[in-house]
Amino acid sequence: MVRKELILMVRYPVNFIASFGQIFLIVAILSLGGRTFSANLDNPPPIGAPPTSGNPSGVVIYGFILFMFLSDTLWTIGYNVRHEQVQGTLEQLYLSPASKFASLVSRVANILLWTGLLTLAASGLMVLMIGRLPVENPWLGLYLLVMSLAGTFGIGFAFAALTLRIRETAQTMANLLQFVFLILCANFFPFSALPPVLLRISRLIPLSYSVDAFRSTLMNYPPGYPELAPISVEIVIVTLFGIGMPFLGYYLYRRAEDHARRSGSLSSF
Amino acid sequence: MTATSPTLKSNLSIVLASARMRLATISRYPGQLLMDIFIPIVFAAMPILLGRATAGPDAGENFAQNTGTSNYVAYMLIGSAAFTIVTYAFWHIAYWLRWEQETGTLEALYLSPTHRVWVAGGTALYSCLRSLFSASAAFLIGSKILGVNPFEGGVGLAFLFILSGLIPIYGLALLFGALVIKVKEANALINLMQWGVSFLMGIFFPIAMFPPLLRAIALLFPPTWMTNGVRSALLGLTYFFQEWYLDLAVLWAFALIAPLLGYWVFTRAETSIRRNEGVGQF
Amino acid sequence: MTGTVRVENLSKTYQVRQRKGLFKSFRSTVEALKGVTLEVRPGEIFGLLGPNGAGKTTLIKILTTLLLPSSGEAWVNGFHVQRQENQVRASVGCMLMGERGLYWKLTGRENLEYFGALYHLSPQDRRQRALEILERIQLGEIADRTVETYSSGQKMKLAFGKALINDAPLLVLDEPTNTLDVPSASELRAVVRDLHAQGKTIIYTTHIMSEAETLCDRVAIIDHGQLLALGSIEELKDSLRRDQVTRIEGVIPSRAVAAVKRLPTVQQATRTSADSGDLLTIVTSDGHEFLPQIIEALTQTGATIKKIAPEEVTLEDVFIAKTGRTLAEDTRER
């Protein structure tokens, strides 16, 4: 599979370059947009300077990392099932003796590799643009990242289940979910920026705690962080999310598959 | 009832038929039109919320120092709405042939005696209608949600800038469409191009923040003039040439050149494809 | 030549890139058509037969202006395919892409009306024409459902209907009965005969030999970009003497087929499946005089012969003689 990805990178160079270029441009647009609120734009701090209290580099970059994985997961795992349903290969998959779980897992590995690379590149660019990135408590940060990713993949499996049911509205739903999570999980800004109504909804989403715990830990808990709950509580929530969500997502996926097989909609447009 | 020779009336009828066909298609994707309105608002909300969180009560003041207006909500919403228009132009026009190929209808299109420019015209009309609707609705609803008055400043003049900007944007999209059919990795290229143009047009920041060379490049793109014109009309900012009619004249010059250039490049690319692999291989 | 379609020395070459491994690639030239010359007469049903990759689709695409030739010329309804493209397109009705040439989110009626617009029919004419076609192809009842809800056969029918929208004097139909069930295929062939009776010229490609034999006035066999045979069904059959074709049924292993092929005067030996086992069709150059040697070669290599049947030459025999394989076999290998 890695070889396949390498082959694709070489044979589709525009795709390869565009992925990185696109990330750079999105980051640049949001970063420059954020900088318009900076008090000393005419005398900006030198590149690489430590963040000031108004410089949200850690908040933005770490939230961005999790957003990248969530977005790719929704599309690569979730929407891809719909894509296979439309082009008729989902039925083929069922006719083969290959494990359905293995198929999902192979997509997970794909994301880890490709999105991981993109995320690293994008983070590097963001550091250049908006300031030094704090990296404290790396092992706990890594643990929280792994748990968050596991939970995110579980969301992907659950979304795949949804796409089998809702079919053609799956693309719309993927877009919607992507942006809903973007706001409610406050990937690009502190939770304090959210209106109270939205903040209440955020507290109901485990992924919010992932974002909050992950970036707070790596920023070494500046005043006010984490924002949603004490860190010990957030670690427990993230752990439960990381362990439970993949199983729940996979269970929902298999149920949706069985339903599709009963209703004959495996190949249905 | 054999096919008749083309007349202006029949070609215009094709433009309308093509637009109607695309509108009928999109109307059968439930929720998509809602998403069209929702996404620009969410997109604008990100820098707004980030700015508020980092600058706190000084957000408006800081913003005014850097851009000339304290109304950062409207500033971002206008940028996001402009981004919607540009995005749709790219995905509907530059991606148009790829879309026809994906639906399997590209060869059917080329088998007809209608010149592609009329079908493209219909697609552009559809794109205009959809993007204007989405952008306007997003701006109005976003203003309501975020608590600003959308009708501050010269609304008529802002609309004039939008309409003047549409034609060169579609010309630009057609130019990029030529690149798409040659390079073939359409999705990736369109994504890159739409974000590239959006960056250059400064959807969330003034292009004065660019270094001089980048600023000069940004000024070569019609959407940059359109976005600045709308902001200046609604928020009282400075036009690039200090007067609105001078900026508008530049947009009209683009409106004259961009579609012709786009069409010329596109047809050359198209002919080269037909000479080698045939239209099904776009 | 004064045909509806005239092709003179038409050639088409492609430059293709072949890849080896991650970074290596090299360019090669593929000759899809090599100096094809033919004529389709007004009012005939002209069959185009050939295995996959033979050049049929390339030829059709050049005639319908989808592809530009490398050399040679062609005229369709008197219009040059390169210099008078729009006139060519206006005078041809095509079914090339099967069910893929439809907008799935539009209804059957909307599809027909939209394509009617592309052929410059007035709004009133489009509506009328769509109505007539939907009745003719028996899709009237589902005309207002989106195409995505149609079965494969219904989509093919609609695609066929789309080819009729401009009431063109020439129709180009690429495997129009593909995926249709037997009754629907029969209905569609009846419509084709009807159109033929009205004086339309039809270029028809098919993988079903019996269809070509019953429908076509003349047939062209193409392989490897070259025109191998052209004539009426009877002329083509007459090009092979009855005694040149022998069919042997039994159990015939591959080594037996190879042994037969090595015999002098055996031009072709093709094995297919039959109800009772294998069927070996042998085309020889000198009749049945060499039959004892063929039998000996088979039995010595382990074949079991159940029946030997010198039969009437069929179009399939001609196809095998010209190309070295059966059309059905080639389709299965896809």
Side-chain angles (χ1 to χ4, degrees), chain A residues 127-155:
Chain A
V127 165
L128 282 176
M129 298 214 60
I130 64 175
R132 188 181 69 83
L133 191 65
V135 184
E136 309 291 338
N137 308 304
W139 292 111
L140 182 57
L142 184 62
Y143 171 78
L144 289 167
L145 177 65
V146 168
M147 284 294 130
S148 303
L149 290 183
T152 302
F153 293 141
I155 292 176

Side-chain angles (χ1 to χ4, degrees), chain A residues 138-199:
Chain A
W139 292 111
L140 182 57
L142 184 62
Y143 171 78
L144 289 167
L145 177 65
V146 168
M147 284 294 130
S148 303
L149 290 183
T152 302
F153 293 141
I155 292 176
F157 300 155
F159 183 64
L162 190 62
T163 58
L164 283 177
R165 295 273 194 147
I166 63 176
R167 293 188 249 163
E168 66 200 53
T169 51
Q171 187 171 356
T172 305
M173 189 58 81
N175 270 322
L176 176 68
L177 280 177
Q178 193 175 250
F179 281 96
V180 164
F181 279 126
L182 197 61
I183 293 292
L184 293 178
C185 298
N187 290 95
F188 287 97
F189 43 83
F191 284 93
S192 57
L194 285 174
V197 163
L198 292 183
L199 191 57

